Amino acid sequence: MGRKQRKRAASQQQQQAQANKAPKDFEKKKRKVGKLTAKANATDTSFRTRGIAIREQAVAAVTDGEDSREPTSERGLSLNDLLIRVSHYGEANRRDAINGLRSLFARHPDLLATTSTLLRLFEKVAPRFTDVSAAVRTALLSLLRFVVPLIPTTSLAPFFPLLMVHTCSAMTNLDPGTRTDSLELVDIWVEAAPS
């Protein structure tokens, strides 16, 4: 072999030895045209979800061929839904919720027989005596004129302190419309419990 051939063979052996070595720590990878590469410090944010099937979920209990669901108003809203909406920041939502309560109690007057329902009702409705909106107060007066005669005086008696505090607050309100409506509230309370 000639000198040139030996040099060539030696350089080929060196190239093969380098190819067999582990890659360098900070070796820059060659990029292909049009291909995006993931950044070295990128976090993989992909995830998988699976549904859980519970047999008892969404099964309505049916007794005697009649649906035993919670009573609803004409719009299909339950008492809890309506009571939550009574405190809504939107005037129209508060008014609609109070009107919905009236339709709920018109369809299901037996709901007024339980003390827990009355407590939840008066706790949510009493602060509306001083509502800024005249439409909400008018709907509230209509609700109370309808509901209070349906409640026995003995069932209503435990709630009079709460109702009177909010009525007095309405009577001393700066808004003249609120003060006028508070007098109608007093009429409702006097008719409900004259003694």
Side-chain angles (χ1 to χ4, degrees):
M1 268 210 238
R3 200 187 231 186
K4 287 185 179 181
Q5 288 178 346
R6 276 191 237 144
K7 280 186 179 181
R8 205 179 295 157
S11 69
Q12 285 177 352
Q13 286 176 353
Q14 286 177 352
Q15 287 176 356
Q16 284 180 355
Q18 286 178 357
N20 291 339
K21 284 185 185 178
K24 295 180 182 175
D25 287 340
F26 299 103
E27 187 175 301
K28 187 173 182 180
K29 293 184 179 179
K30 292 185 179 180
R31 297 169 67 188
K32 295 187 178 182
V33 178
K35 298 281 183 175
L36 295 175
T37 57
K39 295 190 178 191
N41 63 352
T43 304
D44 181 23
T45 58
S46 61
F47 59 91
R48 288 182 166 183
T49 60
R50 287 187 180 178
I52 299 174
I54 300 174
R55 291 182 190 159
E56 293 82 29
Q57 187 174 3
V59 175
V62 178
T63 56
D64 299 332
E66 196 174 301
D67 202 355
S68 65
R69 289 187 197 151
E70 195 173 1
T72 58
S73 66
E74 292 171 355
R75 292 187 174 183
L77 297 172
S78 69
L79 179 64
N80 289 334
D81 296 336
L82 292 168
L83 290 176
I84 289 169
R85 292 178 186 206
V86 166
S87 302
H88 196 271
Y89 63 88
E91 172 190 337
N93 288 330
R94 291 193 308 266
R95 185 190 65 234
D96 291 343
I98 292 171
N99 290 333
L101 285 170
R102 181 171 180 182
S103 76
L104 176 70
F105 293 131
R107 293 175 76 183
H108 306 283
D110 56 315
L111 285 174
L112 296 170
T114 61
T115 308
S116 63
T117 301
L118 292 176
L119 176 64
R120 289 171 36 216
L121 174 69
F122 289 133
E123 280 182 343
K124 288 291 187 174
V125 167
R128 298 294 118 214
F129 293 172
T130 57
D131 198 281
V132 178
S133 169
V136 172
R137 290 193 311 269
T138 303
L140 180 62
L141 288 170
S142 173
L143 170 69
L144 292 174
R145 280 191 206 104
F146 177 76
V147 167
V148 171
L150 299 175
I151 303 170
T153 307
T154 55
S155 298
L156 194 59
F159 304 106
F160 267 114
L162 172 71
L163 298 171
M164 286 301 119
V165 166
H166 286 284
T167 303
C168 291
S169 176
M171 291 175 80
T172 59
N173 198 296
L174 295 176
D175 181 37
T178 304
R179 288 195 305 260
T180 304
D181 290 341
S182 69
L183 297 176
E184 292 185 38
L185 283 170
V186 171
D187 287 341
I188 292 171
W189 305 139
V190 168
E191 289 173 11
S195 55

